[in-house]
Amino acid sequence: MEKLNNTLLYTIDKCFRSYHQFAQKNVKQAGYEITIDQWLILKSIHENPDFSQNDIGKILFKDNASITRIIQLLVKAGYLNRKEHPEDRRRVQLSLTPKGIKITEEVHLIALENRANALKDVNPEHLQELKQMLDQIIKNCTE
Amino acid sequence: MEKLNNTLLYTIDKCFRSYHQFAQKNVKQAGYEITIDQWLILKSIHENPDFSQNDIGKILFKDNASITRIIQLLVKAGYLNRKEHPEDRRRVQLSLTPKGIKITEEVHLIALENRANALKDVNPEHLQELKQMLDQIIKNCTE
DNA sequence: GGTCAATAGTTGATATATCAACTATATTTT
DNA sequence: AAAATATAGTTGATATATCAACTATTGACC
């Protein structure tokens, strides 16, 4: 049987895990009490103030149930406001609190450092190719 | 603020999720009652019969606590045997049952198909580069 | 206008991830 | 050999992932 470490899923999996752990550790060490997943949700709302939970789920590739629960924690932590959407009562309208904006932007700086460190000695010309290949794989897996 | 979809973690995250969901769906549709994570553990033991739980955790980049719990399910499902290690009573000795060997090998075939489909239209010459970049990122994040 | 289907989100059950605290055993040190 | 340290694994608490069943609301169709 073919060896584990030859399979692509294995390498992507490991890369994702190591990067995620690395990023989370650095956020924590900088003194922030937030998970990467929570931050990604805040960031997506910050960039797209009209987003529904559904929209967030789509761009982050998360299940709606996960979004619901993470958002509950973000509201509880004082980073996010939830209210009924004025035009569609099925939806909720999300907005960052000042505290939420602050942590989103501050953690973003750490995220930039993380990326720079993670990409050390990676040929920047190849980076675009890397992204294209990953996007092609995403496309193949979701069509 | 820089857009979400420019960040590398985001693309790797999304690629991992889409591939994982795609792979899991295909395993399920083929009629197998096993998760990808469980299969990866079976596969690592199949390839390395002397592995400790610790060893498995290291190559799969999983926490020992996760390994313990997944292995509990694998034993319960009849795929795996656990007994005390003859030379070190702290360790457990793991071995696949015939049923475990069967599913490991059968799901492997699906995994090969999954990979082929995921890599459709990805230049095979670039594939080696992709793996090298991912390995470099792993290295940067774990040193 | 009433019925049916689609959409937005929630909740329950179970699997996995993470960290910290813990037990048991083995190894090292002195 | 006793004490200190290291290693292997477990358990509790909490966060996230996944799927299915569910409620509420909106939109489409007739």
Side-chain angles (χ1 to χ4, degrees):
Chain A
M1 186 183 301
E2 191 184 21
K3 290 291 184 186
L4 192 54
N5 58 3
N6 288 334
T7 76
L8 178 71
L9 178 54
Y10 171 74
T11 308
I12 293 176
D13 182 327
K14 197 161 172 175
C15 184
F16 168 67
R17 286 170 197 279
S18 60
Y19 194 178
H20 196 275
Q21 288 170 11
F22 173 72
Q24 184 66 69
K25 193 185 67 190
N26 290 340
V27 168
K28 187 173 186 180
Q29 277 180 359
Y32 296 102
E33 284 277 336
I34 192 170
T35 68
I36 297 287
D37 292 296
Q38 291 169 6
W39 172 72
L40 279 169
I41 288 185
L42 288 184
K43 187 165 162 65
S44 66
I45 299 166
H46 195 40
E47 291 175 358
N48 310 279
D50 55 324
F51 259 25
S52 67
Q53 294 190 184
N54 228 333
D55 295 328
I56 298 170
K58 270 187 200 124
I59 71 158
L60 295 185
F61 235 86
K62 286 176 187 291
D63 193 274
N64 282 352
S66 298
I67 303 290
T68 293
R69 283 159 183 146
I70 298 174
I71 281 180
Q72 280 169 0
L73 294 175
L74 289 169
V75 170
K76 195 170 155 197
Y79 295 140
L80 203 56
N81 292 318
R82 273 181 56 123
K83 57 179 185 181
E84 201 175 76
H85 194 282
E87 283 152 25
D88 186 340
R89 284 167 50 206
R90 292 170 302 183
R91 293 183 51 171
V92 292
Q93 199 168 43
L94 301 166
S95 59
L96 302 195
T97 64
K99 189 178 162 193
I101 294 173
K102 185 165 183 288
I103 198 169
T104 302
E105 292 175 346
E106 287 176 8
V107 171
H108 177 67
L109 300 178
I110 300 174
L112 291 179
E113 283 173 36
N114 287 340
R115 178 166 40 152
N117 287 324
L119 296 182
K120 203 175 35 169
D121 301 327
V122 174
N123 183 334
E125 288 169 20
H126 288 162
L127 215 55
Q128 194 54 31
E129 272 176 39
L130 169 60
K131 190 169 179 334
Q132 278 172 14
M133 281 189 278
L134 293 175
D135 282 334
Q136 179 68 45
I137 293 169
I138 293 168
K139 186 164 171 259
N140 290 339
C141 290
T142 53
E143 274 179 348
Chain B
M1 185 182 303
E2 190 185 22
K3 290 292 185 187
L4 192 54
N5 59 3
N6 289 334
T7 75
L8 178 71
L9 178 53
Y10 171 74
T11 308
I12 293 175
D13 183 327
K14 198 161 172 176
C15 184
F16 168 67
R17 286 170 196 277
S18 59
Y19 193 178
H20 195 275
Q21 287 170 11
F22 173 72
Q24 184 68 67
K25 193 185 67 191
N26 291 340
V27 167
K28 186 174 185 179
Q29 277 181 358
Y32 296 102
E33 284 278 337
I34 192 170
T35 68
I36 297 287
D37 293 295
Q38 290 169 7
W39 173 71
L40 280 169
I41 288 185
L42 288 184
K43 186 165 162 64
S44 66
I45 298 167
H46 196 39
E47 290 174 359
N48 310 278
D50 55 324
F51 259 23
S52 67
Q53 294 191 184
N54 228 334
D55 295 329
I56 298 171
K58 271 188 198 124
I59 71 158
L60 294 184
F61 235 85
K62 286 177 187 291
D63 193 274
N64 282 352
S66 298
I67 304 290
T68 292
R69 283 159 183 145
I70 298 175
I71 281 180
Q72 279 170 1
L73 294 174
L74 288 169
V75 170
K76 195 170 155 195
Y79 296 140
L80 203 56
N81 292 318
R82 272 182 56 123
K83 57 179 184 179
E84 200 176 76
H85 194 283
E87 281 151 26
D88 185 339
R89 283 168 52 206
R90 292 170 302 183
R91 295 182 50 169
V92 293
Q93 198 168 42
L94 301 166
S95 59
L96 302 195
T97 64
K99 189 178 162 192
I101 294 173
K102 185 164 183 290
I103 199 170
T104 303
E105 291 175 346
E106 286 175 6
V107 171
H108 178 67
L109 299 177
I110 300 174
L112 290 179
E113 283 174 35
N114 287 340
R115 177 166 43 154
N117 287 324
L119 295 182
K120 204 175 32 170
D121 299 327
V122 174
N123 183 335
E125 288 168 20
H126 289 162
L127 216 54
Q128 194 54 31
E129 274 176 39
L130 169 60
K131 189 170 180 330
Q132 278 171 14
M133 281 189 278
L134 294 174
D135 283 335
Q136 179 68 45
I137 293 169
I138 292 168
K139 185 162 171 260
N140 290 340
C141 291
T142 52
E143 275 180 347

